[in-house]
Amino acid sequence: IMSKKAAAKKAAKDEEADKVLYFGPPTTGTKQNENVFGVCHIMATFNNTFLHVTDLSGRETYARVSGGMKVKSDREESSPYAAMLAAIDIVKALKLVGINAIHIKLRGRGGVDTKTPGPGAQSALRALARHGLKIGRIEDVTPIPTDSTRRGGGRRGRRL
């Protein structure tokens, strides 16, 4: 025989267990077909491709996958295929969270290094669009130096 206090405690515990954890943007007052936006930061270098999805402020991370997490060999980390696999994983994670549209911030290496994004950028973007995410704005956020340290290569440049 259980006391009233113990019974009340057990009932409270059962209620907590029944609640399902939900990670994602607040869904109060949103319509069924309304777009819920996130920001996908794509950093595509010639060594790897990173996809990092956050909320609009950039404070909360919803999903983060890189090309190196999807393939075994080091030389394939930046390949379009690895970027595509990473993008598919991102789409699956965002479906769970409840995000169906993204803005894209594309970034190359930048600085004194190359400003062009790596080979995985385009295929990652394509895979995100083809697997059901709506694309909002696309912005290039590669860091461009206004004035910087001297670039490598020396006075006569890199000789090939």
Side-chain angles (χ1 to χ4, degrees), residues 4-19:
K4 286 184 180 178
K5 266 189 179 177
K9 257 187 187 177
K10 188 174 182 189
K13 244 185 204 174
D14 288 342
E15 272 185 35
E16 282 180 26
D18 289 345
K19 289 182 183 175

Side-chain angles (χ1 to χ4, degrees), residues 37-152:
F37 274 94
V39 179
C40 182
H41 305 266
I42 301 176
M43 180 179 176
T45 67
F46 286 92
N47 290 323
N48 208 342
T49 304
F50 300 92
L51 287 97
H52 186 171
V53 181
T54 64
D55 61 347
L56 292 175
S57 67
R59 183 175 290 239
E60 188 177 343
T61 296
Y62 292 136
R64 188 176 74 231
V65 184
S66 71
M69 291 163 67
K70 298 278 105 197
V71 291
K72 288 285 166 245
S73 71
D74 292 344
R75 66 181 180 175
E76 289 173 2
E77 288 176 1
S78 65
S79 68
Y81 177 67
M84 184 187 74
L85 293 179
I88 291 169
D89 269 23
I90 288 280
V91 171
K92 287 177 185 169
L94 292 185
K95 286 250 171 34
L96 290 175
V97 174
I99 289 179
N100 58 4
I102 50 172
H103 298 300
I104 289 176
K105 291 192 172 186
L106 183 61
R107 178 182 189 271
R109 168 74 77 199
V112 292
D113 279 321
T114 179
K115 276 59 165 189
T116 58
Q122 195 166 356
S123 64
L125 216 160
R126 265 184 67 109
L128 288 170
R130 289 196 55 177
H131 285 83
L133 283 180
K134 293 181 184 72
I135 308 292
R137 307 247 182 263
I138 301 176
E139 185 184 357
D140 182 26
V141 292
T142 304
I144 308 289
T146 49
D147 197 8
S148 177
T149 55
R150 189 177 169 97
R151 189 173 183 154

